[in-house]
Amino acid sequence: MRLYALGGLLYILSVVPVGGWAASSKPCPLKVKETIIPPRGWQQHGVPPPDHRIVLRIGLPQPNFHVLEKHLYEVSDPYHHRYGTHLSKEETERLVAPHQESVDAVDEWLESHGIKQSDLVRSPAKDWVTLTIPISLAEKMLGTKYSVWKHVDGDEIVRTTSYSLPEDLYDHIDLVQPTTMFGRFKRNKSTIVWLDQKEAPQTQNFKATVKSGPGATVDPSCNRTITISCLQQLYNAVGYVPKAKGNSIGITGYLEEFANIQDLQSFYADQRPDALNSTFKFLSVKGGLNSQNLSEAGAEAGLDVQFAFGLSHPIPATFYSTAGSPPFKPDTLTPEDTNEPYTDWLDFVLSRDDTPLTISTSYGDDEQTVPESFARRACAGFAQLGVRGTSLMFSSGDGGVGDNDPNPATQQCFTNDGRNVTRFIPSFPASCPFVTVVGGTTGVPEVAVSRFFSGGGFSDYFARPAYQQRVVEQYLAALPEGTYNGLFNRAGRAYPDVSAQSDRYRIFLSGRPVLIGGTSASSPAFAGIVALLNDVRLSRGQPPLGFLNPLLYSKAVSGFNDITIGHNSGCGTTGFNATKGWDPVTGLGTPNFGKLKNLI
């Protein structure tokens, strides 16, 4: 046993090996580690060349993650005496480090296949090992055969449906990817309306007001176009000027979505003139670019940085661009197959000390296309950021309870377990209990968004966390008996947690004003409000908010505008309804900054 003191408390960490490893002259029998049925839409399309190179990530067990999780909930609970005492990078790494026996066992296995230490890249905690090898060697090591798989939409990837490990190594490795990962990592849907400059309504031209709630008024133009001013009015943040030192906000960019600085300046001139000539810090992940060619400006990236950074100005801002545009197409122009890029981003930020205090992401997968082992490890990475004091926001998606395609022939609401039965399809990372998920609203007064449908539902992988148990049970108890029996997991982590406006945001794209919508808009908007709340705490000498959910569902619950109208259609149903209190359409509701800054 090993004693480990942290945060004034004494913890006992297990150091008992999870399995044995002994050198042997005889090959160790292989044992199947994971087998999956390919998701709908994928078909085998060929065999990759043996010299095709693949970037393998080997996840070693984190035997003391339960201790980190305990810390996370204690430092995130506003009623706990340790609230806000976040851990350092080094303290966090000690809590996710594998046993040395696992490190040695994996090293010996790799060496037996001619892989040298110099060929490996290790995470700071040594819980991940990354190597780039020919696919022929990967097949030999994993007792498998890779194939080229093609999706009905044309995407191609190199994957397998099963892989094995030596029996003596089995308990020293949690997962190896890419193997069974068929996720189609994608931006959440965005609806764009192109406008001529003269057609785009300007908020300041409207003098009348409309009610947004008790005692609140909002410019009527906000029913047609959402601007920074509209969000400040809707969410009771008019006139607040951030002033604390040490604050920060970040946006993640993927799939070659570039944040154009010229568009940002045009946006600032249009809606936030006091921010003119300010910009963001750009960080490249795995060679990610941020082209400033106006013709390559990304709608998603532009939306995210313009509203998150515009709403939170002058808080220092960072934009991450992570290389890679999966699903991968195996051709001579892309000689290496890689993992889903949000894990590359996680590797990057977890290795640094300068992670922003607030981060928003508008990308995700269908949960069932992500192997559960992979989803749990990625979710554990988000927990590490939370315990270090970072608030993570993810958009809930725009497919309602799974797929708002009205055509039953093309709907994707079916299980991947071989039965192909109808099922609501939760999203990941939205289903991870260690992130804050943002749904969508529209109009004044606000209702659940209706031009597309706010993603929401219940995870099939993650159990419902204690922080939301009471409100979710209340919602489920009020459902008419038999509602959607068998279509969702009543015991799963429920989402979204909160919501914000998600339709007809006015941004600048490639030099022109456009209107854009989706929960891709609501997440950066909510992140902007969180950055302002962090300013409130930092200006009073208090620590940042960090992982938000235990606070949101308890002390801060009265700081939200309850949304009670609307639903989130999908899978041939009308989905769930927005109701009084929490619901799987708009969560707890939209933020009231004026109330929240007093509550925190």
Side-chain angles (χ1 to χ4, degrees):
M1 308 292 281
R2 176 161 59 97
L3 298 181
Y4 181 45
L6 193 60
L9 298 178
L10 189 66
Y11 288 91
I12 300 176
L13 304 190
S14 166
V15 294
V16 178
V18 293
W21 176 264
S24 173
S25 58
K26 296 182 180 179
C28 185
L30 294 178
K31 181 179 178 180
V32 174
K33 185 69 174 178
E34 190 166 30
T35 300
I36 61 117
I37 296 173
R40 286 169 59 90
W42 290 103
Q43 290 186 337
Q44 282 181 296
H45 190 61
V47 178
D51 59 350
H52 170 75
R53 295 179 70 78
I54 192 165
V55 181
L56 280 185
R57 285 168 53 88
I58 302 171
L60 279 64
Q62 300 170 329
N64 293 302
F65 180 77
H66 65 286
V67 181
L68 181 140
E69 188 175 12
K70 178 178 174 64
H71 280 291
L72 175 66
Y73 281 119
E74 289 178 354
V75 303
S76 306
D77 179 355
Y79 298 110
H80 197 280
H81 70 275
R82 295 186 63 216
Y83 181 59
T85 57
H86 301 112
L87 305 188
S88 68
K89 173 179 176 290
E90 293 73 23
E91 289 170 329
T92 302
E93 288 167 0
R94 286 197 290 270
L95 288 175
V96 296
H99 293 315
Q100 187 60 44
E101 289 85 353
S102 294
V103 176
D104 294 341
V106 172
D107 284 354
E108 186 173 345
W109 175 58
L110 295 175
E111 185 179 351
S112 73
H113 287 281
I115 299 169
K116 302 185 291 257
Q117 289 291 313
S118 58
D119 298 326
L120 309 179
V121 177
R122 300 184 192 274
S123 63
K126 297 185 178 180
D127 56 332
W128 285 103
V129 177
T130 304
L131 60 153
T132 303
I133 57 176
I135 206 157
S136 57
L137 179 55
E139 291 178 334
K140 179 181 178 182
M141 293 168 60
L142 301 175
T144 190
K145 286 291 182 182
Y146 279 85
S147 298
V148 177
W149 293 79
K150 188 170 184 177
H151 195 269
V152 291
D153 291 340
D155 296 323
E156 295 182 21
I157 58 176
V158 175
R159 294 292 187 269
T160 182
T161 58
S162 178
Y163 70 94
S164 302
L165 292 170
E167 280 189 347
D168 288 349
L169 193 68
Y170 195 86
D171 291 330
H172 290 293
I173 292 178
D174 274 351
L175 72 163
V176 181
Q177 290 291 350
T179 48
T180 56
M181 166 72 86
F182 280 79
R184 303 180 67 214
F185 183 81
K186 55 190 179 294
R187 66 184 63 85
N188 286 312
K189 299 172 185 176
S190 295
T191 303
I192 301 174
V193 179
W194 288 94
L195 294 171
D196 292 325
Q197 184 73 26
K198 63 183 179 181
E199 297 176 42
Q202 303 292 321
T203 302
Q204 61 266 31
N205 294 335
F206 295 82
K207 303 301 181 184
T209 57
V210 294
K211 292 284 186 180
S212 68
T217 56
V218 178
D219 193 298
S221 68
C222 299
N223 256 319
R224 291 187 288 142
T225 305
I226 292 297
T227 63
I228 292 293
S229 177
C230 289
L231 294 178
Q232 290 171 331
Q233 294 172 58
L234 277 163
Y235 302 142
N236 194 15
V238 175
Y240 185 83
V241 179
K243 54 186 178 297
K245 294 182 179 180
N247 203 355
S248 52
I249 184 171
I251 290 293
T252 62
Y254 301 100
L255 307 181
E256 299 175 357
E257 277 277 336
F258 305 136
N260 188 272
I261 295 173
Q262 183 176 329
D263 279 342
L264 179 64
Q265 296 305 316
S266 298
F267 175 83
Y268 283 160
D270 184 59
Q271 298 186 33
R272 193 78 204 239
D274 60 319
L276 267 172
N277 299 319
S278 67
T279 187
F280 51 83
K281 178 169 69 174
F282 167 65
L283 289 178
S284 170
V285 181
K286 298 289 287 282
L289 304 176
N290 192 34
S291 169
Q292 291 305 297
N293 186 328
L294 268 180
S295 66
E296 295 182 310
E300 180 62 59
L303 167 65
D304 290 353
V305 303
Q306 289 170 35
F307 271 87
F309 300 165
L311 192 57
S312 60
H313 177 77
I315 295 171
T318 298
F319 175 70
Y320 299 92
S321 178
T322 301
S325 185
F328 168 80
K329 186 170 183 178
D331 58 28
T332 57
L333 298 180
T334 42
E336 290 183 356
D337 201 357
T338 60
N339 292 274
E340 275 46 37
Y342 57 78
T343 53
D344 288 333
W345 177 82
L346 262 174
D347 288 346
F348 181 84
V349 296
L350 286 172
S351 70
R352 298 172 65 98
D353 290 308
D354 60 350
T355 305
L357 299 180
T358 303
I359 300 176
S360 174
T361 298
S362 296
Y363 300 76
D365 287 325
D366 292 340
E367 185 185 66
Q368 67 173 359
T369 67
V370 180
E372 184 173 350
S373 60
F374 185 87
R376 291 192 177 279
R377 282 300 293 260
C379 189
F382 299 138
Q384 292 177 56
L385 287 174
V387 81
R388 287 168 54 174
T390 291
S391 302
L392 293 174
M393 265 61 63
F394 281 83
S395 57
S396 69
D398 306 309
V401 291
D403 187 344
N404 63 13
D405 186 344
N407 183 355
T410 54
Q411 285 172 5
Q412 298 297 310
C413 300
F414 301 93
T415 60
N416 274 354
D417 57 5
R419 296 178 301 149
N420 281 334
V421 298
T422 302
R423 181 84 170 175
F424 292 165
I425 306 299
S427 297
F428 180 81
S431 62
C432 171
F434 305 132
V435 302
T436 300
V437 184
V438 189
T441 62
T442 188
V444 184
E446 294 182 277
V447 299
V449 69
S450 57
R451 279 208 305 137
F452 33 75
F453 297 93
S454 177
F458 300 79
S459 172
D460 287 323
Y461 288 172
F462 299 98
R464 182 154 56 251
Y467 61 72
Q468 64 173 192
Q469 189 72 26
R470 181 181 60 84
V471 295
V472 175
E473 283 297 330
Q474 288 176 347
Y475 177 84
L476 292 173
L479 281 179
E481 186 174 354
T483 301
Y484 302 143
N485 275 355
L487 293 184
F488 70 98
N489 175 22
R490 294 177 68 96
R493 188 277 204 255
Y495 71 96
D497 302 298
V498 295
S499 52
Q501 284 278 322
S502 63
D503 199 9
R504 302 183 71 82
Y505 275 56
R506 177 183 167 92
I507 69 166
F508 278 76
L509 178 62
S510 300
R512 295 171 57 190
V514 303
L515 299 185
I516 187 169
T519 53
S520 293
S522 52
S523 183
F526 188 82
I529 294 295
V530 172
L532 298 182
L533 292 172
N534 267 334
D535 180 82
V536 173
R537 288 184 59 82
L538 293 171
S539 65
R540 297 174 181 173
Q542 297 171 312
L545 292 167
F547 176 43
L548 294 170
N549 294 3
L551 167 70
L552 302 183
Y553 284 89
S554 59
K555 187 176 181 181
V557 71
S558 61
F560 289 87
N561 310 310
D562 196 9
I563 310 301
T564 60
I565 298 174
H567 58 89
N568 58 354
S569 294
C571 303
T573 74
T574 57
F576 298 107
N577 289 326
T579 63
K580 185 177 180 180
W582 180 90
D583 56 71
V585 188
T586 60
L588 298 170
T590 59
N592 184 320
F593 174 77
K595 289 184 178 180
L596 288 169
K597 70 183 179 68
N598 294 324
L599 291 169
I600 66 168

